[in-house]
Amino acid sequence: MLMDLAGKWKLWLENPEEEIPEMERPEKKPVGSVILPGILQAQGYGDLVTVDTPWISGLHDPFWYEREEYSYGQDGEVSIPFLSQPPRHYIGRAWYEREFTVTEDTGDEFYLVIELTRWRSFAWVDETPRGGDCSLCTAHQISLGKLSAGTHTLTVCIDNRFQYPYRPDGHGVSDALGATWNGMAGEIAVISSGEVKRRLKEKKRYAKEQPRVLEVREGVFHVDGRPEYFRGTHFGGDYPLTGYPETDPDWWERRMETLKEWGFNFLRCHSY
């Protein structure tokens, strides 16, 4: 069983003046709504960009706006010269909420799957905490327990603050190319344990049918026994049209075809 959660969600933002304990839901009214998959900064939420915006970056000059070549253009809207500037900036917790329906009693365990998000997530079902996950490189999967047939309310907290010691200039976490977004990208779904098993079986089948062997022999790369000279390009995780990573396989296949047309045979993802 799979329940697709793409669509409209209610949204709450963290208020620095109002402390909400960890693992608790806000009791106030939502600030608005967002469409997911997506990110809140691209939908008008978050802080306006100013010369005092606390960028996640360690390589820029914090007083860049005082330099002669930039000072003339900072009246009104601010244009940042050293990173991919988002329409809004937001670092903190955000809560997303919507209803979903379980059509029948199956006795199965259910799981929330978030294909891509930033740092830490936590989920509630009908105001009952269910657990969380934390990862930058794999899908988040949270056990929701057994759910009865009917309509349920799902609340998800996404915390895009730094969770572990990490260099603040890595493209996967910094503002350099816009990696500090808050939201949920790719698939967002509630799935049954049966669907979890089906997906795992499919991954194992694919891996078995698509074996790859990479070796280095006398300083030469061999791919599946064939010597290769790698010619590639750099990709740092920049998505200027949406502000968050693309998860559609067709999008990636088109990019790979373009690389092939230009004579490249690999794509280097730099610290991303």
Side-chain angles (χ1 to χ4, degrees), residues 187-201:
E187 181 187 36
I188 313 164
V190 171
I191 63 176
S192 64
S193 55
E195 176 65 12
V196 172
K197 293 176 183 176
R198 186 195 69 78
R199 293 184 177 197
L200 181 58
K201 185 178 179 180

Side-chain angles (χ1 to χ4, degrees), residues 203-211:
K203 290 178 181 178
K204 290 182 177 180
R205 182 195 65 79
Y206 179 86
K208 185 177 181 180
E209 294 178 357
Q210 308 286 332

